[in-house]
Amino acid sequence: MFVFGAQYLRGATPEPEDWEEDLKLARELGFNTMRAWICWGYLEPEEGRINFDYLDRFLDTIGRHGLKAVLLFNLYGVPEWAARKYPHCRYVDHEGLPAEPNAASSIPTGGWPGLCFDNREVREIAERFMRGVLEHLRDRPEISHWEPMNEPILDPQRYSDRMYCYCPATRAKFLDWLKRKYGSLDALNFAWARSHGCWEDVRPPSYRRGYAQWIDWRRFLMENVAEVVRWRTEVIRSIASQPVVAHTYEAMTCCDFVTKAYDDWRTAQAVDKWGVSRFPGSGEGATIMALESDAVRNQAQGKEFWQSELKGGRGGGGTNIEPLPRAEEFAIWSWVPIAHGAKGLLYWQFRNERHGDECGNLGLCDNAGRPTITALVASKICRTISENEDLFLRARYPKPEVAIVMSPLSYMVDWCSNHNVNLSMDSMTGWYSIFWEASIPVDIHHEEFVSLEKLREYKLVVLPFPICLDDGFNELLVEYVRAGGWVISDPAINLFDGRLFMSKEVPGKGLRELFGCRQKEIVSGATPKVRFGAGSVVSLERSHFTERYTEVEGDVLATYEDGEPAVISHRYGKGKAVLSGVNLGMVCTPPRTRSERRKTPAEGAVRDFVLGLLEQAGASRPIVTDREEVTANLLEAGEEALLFVFNHSQKGGKVRVRLKRQIGKAIDLESGQKVSVSKEHERSVVDLRFDGMGVKVLRVG
């Protein structure tokens, strides 16, 4: 089943008297699945007394309307009796202040952020609650999936600028983690450049200085979140037979995962299916959604992935009320993850929340439960999928020839330096945008989880803002290029060494031979002027670094205005390593809101330069559109395929899509009409017409 529906139940809302009509409407819209939160504090008001009537009544109503339920355990809304009984188990901030349980946007019924799961007592009472619910509901046919945690992150960090958790239990667990990692106090002291006299003197950092100890602290917390998800998943699997699904908070690549302390690639390993949440603002382009979809697809490692939460209506809350998204804009948001291979789509949420911080917004339906324009768009998309469900389930994302490798370690160093990861995110999103706007499929990989065998599947590997690559990945990179691969790197590669000291020489960590040059000088904040090939000099205002080189052994592909090398290509073994002295991706970072303006000369020069390198590396462009504001994706399904064409501009008119894949026919799935297909220079050509912004989904074969 292609899962399609919405988040519905969360504690006190929607109220039981609305369930019958709401779920009847959901089925009429074509939905097949509704998600519900099992809020611990709301359902266990007294220790050992769980409100099973609430759960049974909800599932009875779900069943009457032929729907399935995804049930989420939300254990961060702790019962008041537990907060009173275990005050020593509260989360503690970096100044030693315990977090008082209260209401929050995600848990308006109270109890957030709950109690710290590093305490044995908290695990015991939480597991007892989970097992009670699972035993009671284990035979209910309405349940299709269980979910162990919502958007797994260090949850006290969700709405706070304070750092967590410094409670005694977490401190002790961190100390054990350090002992396993380093083996001896001498090794820890060397890594941290400290002189601890005994293990009891070692503590987590509370001021953001000292890179090595901060990065160890964040890594520990990331692994700790993944361990909590594994524990909850194991509890579910010990009783329930349904698959376990979870989803990430904005896919790590485009978010400050360092502060929030999570690692999607680690967490996704525990569950059967994986997903992502996204709440785009009105006027926001689709680039970030596409990037997140590609990242989550790779995090899932071959497992099914979903768009588990997608903004369903207006933003804002309370007296701050934003307009509803336009129908065509909402359609693009909905189709993008599906075009990148998602096999499920759940909106957040079915009807507007009626209390708490989110009240009055985010619903497909209004405060009274009446469908809005977004509900009607969702229904149309749902019916298109259900009428062609077999094809959508069979369709698979094509094998990309380009990979972007995310370096979480570099993000963490960026965070230590700047108290945010904006430079890393801008580099990642800009590089991705270059390929996405050219309709070129891309995989996103985590430096610690990609193998040499996997790297060798790509013609081109890109390294955004690689200021401190993982030591193991450095070794893979050398072998990949030696065997014939091409790599393009941003400047300042391994600016920091293995101890997180500034490298004595850059490229660092032994990569000087690979790139065939040495850094002469580097500055940030300048505006480099660069000539790519025989083109005009362009001003790269958004590049963070300007790096200059000496002892250059390779070919110079671009120069600074004064003629010095700006981009160098060095043959190494059978492959090539290209090192840029400017942040090419940052130049092409997409604006948060869509703009009808044409690209700047700098953006155009960088995009043409990168696509030229792509061609030299032997990679192809499987789809080419004749308008820069139009992108396209193809999902393969044997002799058939699904072609998605997106017009991101308000400008309508004709669009020509040229496909490397040979096709003989095309049918518009919404209208049922045949679409013109012809041949041109060994490519299949599909001619379409858009009235304005919108999406065309074609069945081709």
Side-chain angles (χ1 to χ4, degrees):
M1 179 177 73
F2 193 104
V3 170
F4 201 106
Q7 160 69 27
Y8 182 68
L9 190 61
R10 181 172 57 163
T13 53
E15 295 158 292
E17 58 264 31
D18 294 323
W19 294 356
E20 193 73 42
E21 288 303 312
D22 284 352
L23 297 175
K24 177 174 179 283
L25 173 61
R27 192 58 181 165
E28 290 172 351
L29 291 171
F31 295 179
N32 56 37
T33 301
M34 302 295 273
R35 181 169 173 252
W37 286 23
I38 299 173
C39 297
W40 184 14
Y42 191 74
L43 288 180
E44 192 179 4
E46 298 175 11
E47 186 169 7
R49 180 172 69 84
I50 301 173
N51 185 358
F52 291 124
D53 290 343
Y54 169 96
L55 296 171
D56 288 334
R57 180 178 174 185
F58 174 70
L59 289 173
D60 288 344
T61 312
I62 281 278
R64 276 197 299 277
H65 296 289
L67 295 162
K68 293 292 183 181
V70 176
L71 297 184
L72 162 79
F73 282 107
N74 196 307
L75 306 180
Y76 286 110
V78 71
E80 292 298 337
W81 61 261
R84 169 173 36 85
K85 186 174 181 179
Y86 302 105
H88 61 288
C89 296
R90 291 181 182 177
Y91 289 100
V92 176
D93 72 12
H94 63 283
E95 293 183 344
L97 300 175
E100 187 81 15
N102 214 317
S105 293
S106 61
I107 307 180
T109 50
W112 182 88
L115 301 174
C116 179
F117 289 96
D118 291 335
N119 293 276
R120 177 183 53 80
E121 305 97 308
V122 179
R123 292 230 181 178
E124 287 176 353
I125 60 174
E127 183 166 331
R128 185 180 65 198
F129 170 73
M130 290 179 69
R131 289 189 178 278
V133 171
L134 289 160
E135 290 285 359
H136 184 81
L137 299 181
R138 66 186 302 170
D139 296 324
R140 296 293 306 236
E142 300 89 354
I143 302 170
S144 63
H145 297 79
W146 291 93
E147 196 167 353
M149 185 190 298
N150 181 61
E151 296 175 342
I153 64 173
L154 180 61
D155 226 70
Q157 215 73 70
R158 188 180 291 270
Y159 309 113
S160 177
D161 58 359
R162 309 187 74 77
M163 306 304 292
Y164 291 92
C165 174
Y166 293 82
C167 76
T170 302
R171 286 173 178 266
K173 196 171 182 181
F174 177 52
L175 196 61
D176 288 342
W177 184 89
L178 290 172
K179 289 176 180 178
R180 290 194 303 273
K181 176 176 180 178
Y182 290 106
S184 71
L185 189 59
D186 286 344
L188 172 73
N189 280 335
F190 177 77
W192 285 15
R194 303 290 287 275
S195 297
H196 298 100
C198 61
W199 279 107
E200 288 70 25
D201 291 340
V202 179
R203 54 186 171 80
S206 56
Y207 294 93
R208 207 172 299 177
R209 293 294 183 269
Y211 287 25
Q213 61 262 46
W214 261 110
I215 288 175
D216 272 342
W217 177 230
R218 304 323 286 174
R219 279 192 184 279
F220 157 72
L221 292 171
M222 292 172 193
E223 292 181 16
N224 210 28
V225 168
E227 186 275 325
V228 171
V229 173
R230 284 196 302 273
W231 158 63
R232 295 191 192 184
T233 299
E234 288 167 2
V235 172
I236 293 170
R237 286 177 175 157
S238 70
I239 297 172
S241 59
Q242 295 93 342
V244 179
V245 63
H247 69 279
T248 175
Y249 179 86
E250 298 187 337
M252 197 171 170
T253 53
C254 318
C255 184
D256 184 359
F257 71 89
V258 187
T259 298
K260 293 180 172 62
Y262 65 99
D263 187 324
D264 293 334
W265 274 265
R266 280 184 167 81
T267 307
Q269 293 175 343
V271 297
D272 303 306
K273 301 179 182 183
W274 186 240
V276 64
S277 60
R278 187 70 194 169
F279 293 79
S282 183
E284 185 171 334
T287 313
I288 304 302
M289 285 198 67
L291 169 55
E292 289 179 347
S293 296
D294 284 339
V296 169
R297 187 185 69 253
N298 284 277
Q299 291 163 9
Q301 292 293 297
K303 295 181 285 193
E304 183 174 296
F305 84 92
W306 298 356
Q307 182 70 47
S308 296
E309 291 182 13
L310 176 60
K311 178 181 176 181
R314 67 177 79 251
T319 58
N320 302 304
I321 302 171
E322 298 176 5
L324 281 164
R326 299 190 302 274
E328 59 272 19
E329 177 178 55
F330 187 73
I332 288 177
W333 295 346
S334 300
W335 279 117
V336 162
I338 297 169
H340 286 256
K343 301 303 177 190
L345 173 56
L346 298 175
Y347 296 98
W348 183 282
Q349 50 190 10
F350 186 73
R351 70 147 74 194
N352 282 346
E353 181 57 76
R354 292 185 55 237
H355 79 133
D357 285 354
E358 295 180 359
C359 65
N361 75 40
L362 298 174
L364 295 166
C365 300
D366 65 17
N367 299 337
R370 295 179 291 258
T372 70
I373 184 62
T374 60
L376 302 181
V377 172
S379 178
K380 182 182 294 186
I381 293 170
C382 179
R383 295 186 190 286
T384 298
I385 293 172
S386 61
E387 290 167 4
N388 302 274
E389 187 174 46
D390 176 66
L391 177 59
F392 277 91
L393 289 174
R394 286 188 292 111
R396 293 291 180 269
Y397 199 73
K399 185 179 176 57
E401 295 180 324
V402 178
I404 301 176
V405 176
M406 179 186 182
S407 171
L409 180 55
S410 295
Y411 272 71
M412 286 188 266
V413 174
D414 182 11
W415 182 85
C416 287
S417 180
N418 299 297
H419 296 191
N420 59 54
V421 294
N422 293 344
L423 296 174
S424 297
M425 290 193 298
D426 284 351
S427 295
M428 171 64 75
T429 56
W431 272 109
Y432 182 83
S433 176
I434 292 171
F435 299 111
W436 178 74
E437 291 193 6
S439 302
I440 296 169
V442 174
D443 275 341
I444 311 295
H445 287 292
H446 184 305
E447 62 184 347
E448 297 172 47
F449 290 92
V450 67
S451 65
L452 179 58
E453 181 182 15
K454 174 57 70 173
L455 280 182
R456 285 175 173 167
E457 295 177 3
Y458 304 102
K459 301 287 182 63
L460 181 67
V461 169
V462 176
L463 306 178
F465 211 70
I467 56 175
C468 190
L469 297 173
D470 177 76
D471 290 347
F473 179 73
N474 281 297
E475 297 173 7
L476 297 185
L477 189 64
V478 171
E479 292 304 314
Y480 164 74
V481 178
R482 180 183 286 127
W486 278 56
V487 63
I488 305 177
S489 175
D490 267 349
I493 185 165
N494 292 327
L495 184 65
F496 291 79
D497 68 14
R499 294 180 69 195
L500 300 170
F501 286 30
M502 289 288 263
S503 295
K504 294 179 179 179
E505 179 173 277
V506 178
K509 295 189 176 183
L511 295 188
R512 178 179 170 184
E513 184 181 351
L514 175 64
F515 288 98
C517 64
R518 180 170 63 83
Q519 181 192 98
K520 181 169 65 174
E521 66 173 1
I522 187 168
V523 295
S524 60
T527 301
K529 293 179 171 57
V530 176
R531 186 191 305 275
F532 294 97
S536 302
V537 172
V538 290
S539 180
L540 307 184
E541 295 180 358
R542 285 185 284 182
S543 175
H544 179 71
F545 284 128
T546 302
E547 185 174 51
R548 291 177 180 266
Y549 304 108
T550 186
E551 301 173 24
V552 175
E553 299 173 5
D555 299 324
V556 177
L557 304 182
T559 59
Y560 292 111
E561 190 176 29
D562 60 10
E564 285 201 10
V567 182
I568 299 163
S569 173
H570 181 240
R571 179 164 292 283
Y572 185 83
K574 298 179 181 179
K576 282 194 176 182
V578 178
L579 180 58
S580 174
V582 291
N583 299 96
L584 297 174
M586 285 185 183
V587 176
C588 299
T589 301
R592 189 68 174 177
T593 55
R594 186 185 303 103
S595 172
E596 299 294 333
R597 66 173 176 81
R598 296 188 64 81
K599 301 295 185 294
T600 65
E603 288 177 83
V606 167
R607 291 175 191 277
D608 290 346
F609 176 71
V610 171
L611 295 179
L613 289 177
L614 178 80
E615 184 178 357
Q616 292 178 46
S620 61
R621 294 182 62 177
I623 304 175
V624 179
T625 70
D626 65 348
R627 284 171 49 181
E628 66 175 16
E629 67 272 22
V630 176
T631 65
N633 292 71
L634 195 72
L635 297 183
E636 299 281 0
E639 294 183 358
E640 292 186 300
L642 284 165
L643 176 63
F644 302 82
V645 184
F646 298 88
N647 180 17
H648 304 281
S649 167
Q650 298 291 346
K651 178 184 175 182
K654 294 181 180 179
V655 173
R656 172 158 284 199
V657 182
R658 300 171 64 241
L659 304 171
K660 184 178 178 182
R661 189 188 201 277
Q662 297 301 305
I663 63 172
K665 61 180 180 179
I667 298 174
D668 185 320
L669 291 184
E670 182 178 327
S671 69
Q673 299 296 311
K674 290 183 178 180
V675 176
S676 171
V677 177
S678 59
K679 292 288 189 296
E680 181 182 289
H681 304 303
E682 299 183 352
R683 283 187 176 246
S684 299
V685 178
V686 178
D687 288 305
L688 300 168
R689 175 176 286 278
F690 283 89
D691 294 330
M693 180 185 294
V695 188
K696 304 282 188 183
V697 184
L698 310 180
R699 185 175 194 141
V700 301

